[in-house]
Amino acid sequence: MPLILLAASLYWAFRRRPGRRPAGTLSLSALLACFALAFSAYQPTVRALEDAVAPDLSRLISNSATLSAGAAVSAVLLYLNYDAPEARRRIRWRLRLLALALATMATTFAFTPDELTWNAVETHGGPAEGPTSLHIYAVAYVAYLSYAVVDCLTETWTRARTATRTTQRIGLRTTSVGCVVALLYTTYKTVNAVAALFDWTAFPGGPRCTSPVTPVSCAFSVTAPAVSVLLITTGLTLPAIVWPVTQYLRRRWERQSVADLTPLWHDLTQVCPSVVFRTVGGETETDLVLHRRVVEVCDGILTLDEHRSRAVQQAAAAAVAATRHAGTDRGAAIVEAAIVAGAIQAARAGAPAQDDPAPQAAGADAREADLRAEVLWLRSVSRQYATSNIVHHAADHQVPALTAA
């Protein structure tokens, strides 16, 4: 877990980006690095330093990294909720509180005799037997951590209600759940700190955990913070991880849509070249190319409105009624493709306008201002235009008009 978190932190800090680094990027990198440090504090290599430096040094490192991670979480969310200058102003206040808490913890830890550190106290009687310095340490730790968790929960919930991206809403709500779990941990620490002042052990248990929930203190002191870290980290990194995947899938869908529209677009623009927009610069953005194709196809269909034959419409509708596509969107697309195919033939031959043109396909109002819905409809029409035998046979009913011309 520490290696995964550290790798994610380095990637987020140093990966190449077009333009300037987004505000809050380093805060998210710091968050992942702090969580990595908090987890690694209990690794055997760090434990080995305790004999040479000070007993229970790993706990000081882990607690300090946890508080720093809490400040980093707040910073990330502040950059999401406020513009950069206001976010930095709010972050400075939180960093001052963090520095005060860390200084208090380091000082009280340094003045605690080795024989009275946590392991010794827990082995000989529990937290209530600890010296005053450890109680002050606990108060400083719990006070800032509780402030950071509540701050994180407030900012997360505020942002989740206004987020426009689904992945961001899910991620922020996952972070909110992680904050609620973290509150269980801070409540446990608060109760323990208060109980110690009255020489009372609130959560009895041995010095080692035998499972994630036994003794009962382990559920709050070990499992709760680990689960909260997992949820908070997942929630804050999920949008960043999912975003490139969704962008790739979006671009692939756009490229496929452009390819599907090409047969219909090609024939429409041949007979109606005026609908083609003037190209400015290159066309490398798939969303721009697709948007243009949709507008050009729609304009081409409207331009050929006078050639839309009711005979073709009736022939295509009768053929579709005999298939399993009757009454479906695909059936409607076949009928529309046949009408457009006949209109293209009439325009190529210079046929006169229809006395009673077939109406435009139903559903245009429902698709208005919905590009995706319009793309899906036109893709279906273009596919039928290129492949359906019904379309080719029904379009032959345009022949009388062509002959008359």
Side-chain angles (χ1 to χ4, degrees):
M1 180 62 74
L3 291 177
I4 292 173
L5 290 172
L6 183 60
S9 173
L10 293 175
Y11 167 79
W12 196 242
F14 295 107
R15 79 179 183 92
R16 293 183 178 180
R17 299 176 177 85
R20 298 181 60 183
R21 179 188 289 119
T25 300
L26 294 182
S27 297
L28 183 55
S29 177
L31 162 67
L32 298 172
C34 290
F35 278 156
L37 181 60
F39 276 118
S40 64
Y42 293 101
Q43 296 297 317
T45 52
V46 177
R47 289 281 196 177
L49 293 175
E50 293 183 338
D51 296 334
V53 181
D56 281 338
L57 177 64
S58 59
R59 185 172 300 198
L60 174 64
I61 295 173
S62 178
N63 291 162
S64 300
T66 299
L67 294 191
S68 300
V73 170
S74 296
V76 171
L77 295 171
L78 288 171
Y79 276 118
L80 286 176
N81 288 340
Y82 302 96
D83 55 25
E86 176 63 15
R88 283 193 287 268
R89 186 187 69 80
R90 292 171 179 263
I91 290 170
R92 281 194 292 270
W93 164 249
R94 287 158 175 78
L95 291 180
R96 293 190 189 102
L97 292 178
L98 173 64
L100 177 61
L102 294 180
T104 302
M105 290 163 55
T107 302
T108 53
F109 179 82
F111 281 95
T112 301
D114 291 350
E115 63 275 11
L116 294 178
T117 53
W118 291 283
N119 277 339
V121 169
E122 291 169 355
T123 302
H124 294 94
E129 301 297 327
T132 303
S133 59
L134 290 188
H135 298 331
I136 297 174
Y137 178 104
V139 169
Y141 173 75
V142 172
Y144 185 83
L145 186 59
S146 299
Y147 170 79
V149 170
V150 173
D151 188 30
C152 173
L153 181 58
T154 302
E155 297 294 338
T156 300
W157 196 252
T158 299
R159 181 62 181 180
R161 289 185 299 176
T162 59
T164 56
R165 285 164 43 196
T166 301
T167 54
Q168 196 174 66
R169 287 196 301 272
I170 294 174
L172 290 171
R173 286 168 183 167
T174 301
T175 302
S176 297
V177 175
C179 292
V180 172
V181 176
L183 284 175
L184 295 177
Y185 174 65
T186 59
T187 301
Y188 162 81
K189 297 295 289 185
T190 302
V191 171
N192 259 356
V194 172
L197 295 176
F198 297 95
D199 295 329
W200 173 57
T201 301
F203 297 91
R208 293 290 181 268
C209 295
T210 56
S211 81
V213 294
T214 55
V216 66
S217 60
C218 292
F220 300 102
S221 64
V222 177
T223 304
V227 171
S228 66
V229 166
L230 177 63
L231 291 174
I232 291 172
T233 303
T234 301
L236 291 180
T237 57
L238 178 66
I241 294 171
V242 173
W243 178 250
V245 177
T246 57
Q247 290 297 95
Y248 167 76
L249 294 176
R250 178 184 63 81
R251 287 191 293 269
R252 188 178 69 172
W253 180 81
E254 290 168 347
R255 286 193 297 269
Q256 184 61 50
S257 297
V258 171
D260 288 343
L261 289 175
T262 296
L264 181 58
W265 173 85
H266 179 269
D267 289 353
L268 281 172
T269 53
Q270 273 194 335
V271 297
C272 305
S274 61
V275 302
V276 179
F277 291 114
R278 182 172 62 89
T279 301
V280 179
E283 289 188 347
T284 58
E285 296 295 330
T286 54
D287 58 341
L288 175 61
V289 175
L290 177 60
H291 202 153
R292 288 185 52 155
R293 289 288 172 90
V294 169
V295 174
E296 289 166 353
V297 169
C298 288
D299 287 350
I301 292 175
L302 290 174
T303 301
L304 296 179
D305 184 72
E306 62 182 12
H307 292 299
R308 295 173 66 88
S309 170
R310 285 189 180 273
V312 173
Q313 180 189 36
Q314 293 167 358
V320 169
T323 69
R324 58 188 175 87
H325 303 305
T328 65
D329 291 340
R330 182 172 179 180
I334 293 174
V335 173
E336 176 65 11
I339 296 172
V340 173
I344 290 174
Q345 289 183 19
R348 283 174 176 165
Q354 296 283 324
D355 294 331
D356 184 20
Q360 293 290 329
D365 292 341
R367 297 189 301 272
E368 187 175 357
D370 187 345
L371 178 62
R372 186 176 183 86
E374 191 68 35
V375 170
L376 292 175
W377 165 249
L378 292 178
R379 278 179 60 170
S380 182
V381 172
S382 184
R383 286 171 178 169
Q384 301 309 319
Y385 176 83
T387 63
S388 175
N389 290 327
I390 294 177
V391 170
H392 299 149
H393 294 154
D396 291 339
H397 286 76
Q398 194 91 22
V399 170
L402 300 183
T403 304

